[in-house]
Amino acid sequence: MQFPVTRMRRLRRTEAMRSLTRETFLQPSQFISPLFICPGEGVRKPISSMPGVFNLSVDEALKEAAECASLGIGGLLLFGLPESKDLEGSGAYADDGIVQRALRALKADSALQSLVMIADTCLCEYTSHGHCGPLTGEGNDCTVDNDATLPLLAKTAVSQARAGADIIAPSDMMDGRVSAIRDALDEAGFAETPIMSYAAKFASAFYGPFREAADSTPQMGDRRGYQMAGGNVREAMREIELDVAEGADMLLAKPAGPYLDVIRATRERFDLPLGAYQVSGEYSMLHAAFERGWLEKERAMMESLLAIRRAGADFIVTYFAKEASQRLR
């Protein structure tokens, strides 16, 4: 039927009517809050490019986790800043590594049982050169040795699972990493531990602030040799299909906002639980506009998250997790 019989505004008349007919919802259990764990005690170091985000010692991370749990947030994604680094990133798979210590402390607190503990499984924060595995080549011509990286990622995953990680989340973009991690977890007795693959991770300019937070800036070259080119949606579908075939239980797309079409294409093609990472640059860009009064903070924050959910993400990794959850209470 056409106007005037059909009037689309009838269902927009009041807040109650709009709520009743809303198609896409946000709730705190859909959010995952990233935490950057660093050595020391009583450390809560602000990250200059990410207002409201901190490097946290384990004791401070426990306080942050308690606040997240009280807000009904779904989980935490843990990144580590080790005391020392080396060429192979051995701190990533050390049983007394910084993330492993944090996981044990978090899992020991019964008040945090509602939070899913997710371990980012990568070597870039632990290597002295800032890349995601051992290098071959020199200077700006260097690249990560894919096959030499796989056993190190597998060791890292087992170490994280042993420390209490509920989900293993490889973010390195090495070929064959999901299969290598699945085999290692199964052999070590962690057949029930799921893998959330960063299956479509693009080489993005929006990661800049994260590299300050995680101290993971490459010292030479860049990551374009293993992270995806921004123009390739069909290639992203191939990446995801391969990870699913290798045993991925969940999928994660990164970044979120600039790649909503990839999220939608993934949702339409695959049935696995799908998340999206609203990355540091998205967060910092919005905060810069908030600070200048160019955008209304609450509305822009919630709209950015709603767009990611509407595109098809079941859950969102976001630095807005606490603020958005408070808004939804």
Side-chain angles (χ1 to χ4, degrees), residues 109-128:
D109 189 337
S110 60
L112 305 180
Q113 289 180 355
S114 64
L115 294 169
V116 176
M117 301 297 173
I118 307 169
D120 179 81
T121 306
C122 193
L123 306 179
C124 63
E125 300 134 59
Y126 304 89
T127 56
S128 52

Side-chain angles (χ1 to χ4, degrees), residues 5-296:
V5 176
T6 299
R7 292 179 180 266
M8 297 299 292
R9 289 179 55 184
R10 289 178 187 136
L11 302 183
R12 304 171 191 160
R13 230 169 10 93
T14 65
E15 176 55 34
M17 187 75 77
R18 293 190 294 271
S19 179
L20 181 68
T21 58
R22 187 165 295 135
E23 299 174 28
T24 305
F25 293 85
L26 291 170
Q27 56 189 36
S29 62
Q30 298 163 345
F31 300 144
I32 296 169
S33 183
L35 296 187
F36 299 98
I37 314 298
C38 66
E41 188 173 347
V43 179
R44 192 175 182 86
K45 178 185 175 185
I47 298 166
S48 63
S49 57
M50 300 174 69
V53 182
F54 304 86
N55 292 145
L56 302 168
S57 54
V58 172
D59 57 320
E60 289 293 323
L62 286 166
K63 298 175 186 176
E64 190 78 6
E67 186 175 356
C68 289
S70 71
L71 291 168
I73 288 169
L76 306 176
L77 177 59
L78 304 187
F79 299 92
L81 287 81
E83 293 170 335
S84 61
K85 306 187 180 194
D86 57 38
L87 292 174
E88 290 198 342
S90 62
Y93 48 85
D95 284 338
D96 63 346
I98 186 65
V99 165
Q100 287 81 350
R101 297 201 302 269
L103 282 167
R104 291 189 182 97
L106 291 162
K107 295 299 286 188
D109 189 337
S110 60
L112 305 180
Q113 289 180 355
S114 64
L115 294 169
V116 176
M117 301 297 173
I118 307 169
D120 179 81
T121 306
C122 193
L123 306 179
C124 63
E125 300 134 59
Y126 304 89
T127 56
S128 52
H129 45 72
H131 280 280
C132 299
L135 297 180
T136 60
E138 301 291 336
N140 287 333
D141 294 326
C142 70
T143 188
V144 173
D145 185 331
N146 189 97
D147 294 5
T149 301
L150 299 184
L152 303 182
L153 292 169
K155 286 174 66 175
T156 300
V158 170
S159 177
Q160 292 169 337
R162 190 178 292 122
D166 296 307
I167 296 174
I168 298 300
S171 62
D172 54 284
M173 290 301 286
M174 297 298 114
D175 294 335
R177 81 284 182 58
V178 173
S179 178
I181 290 171
R182 183 72 274 157
D183 288 346
L185 288 172
D186 291 354
E187 289 173 10
F190 297 105
E192 298 298 318
T193 301
I195 297 172
M196 180 176 74
S197 173
Y198 288 67
K201 181 177 179 180
F202 291 85
S204 173
F206 287 90
Y207 301 152
F210 173 93
R211 292 176 180 171
E212 176 197 350
D215 189 24
S216 62
T217 303
Q219 300 303 301
M220 74 287 286
D222 57 42
R223 297 190 176 125
R224 296 179 191 179
Y226 44 103
Q227 294 178 359
M228 287 189 54
N232 294 4
V233 179
R234 293 194 301 272
E235 183 187 359
M237 297 303 103
R238 290 188 64 199
E239 282 277 8
I240 295 166
E241 189 171 19
L242 287 166
D243 283 2
V244 172
E246 289 180 20
D249 301 283
M250 308 165 71
L251 304 171
L252 190 68
K254 180 181 181 181
Y259 293 86
L260 294 177
D261 59 321
V262 176
I263 298 170
R264 169 51 56 189
T266 304
R267 178 73 292 152
E268 291 175 349
R269 185 162 173 175
F270 300 96
D271 293 329
L272 273 63
L274 172 63
Y277 197 147
Q278 187 182 47
V279 300
S280 58
E282 300 175 68
Y283 175 84
S284 297
M285 180 171 61
L286 285 168
H287 259 285
F290 300 158
E291 290 171 2
R292 288 160 177 77
W294 295 342
L295 289 175
E296 185 180 334

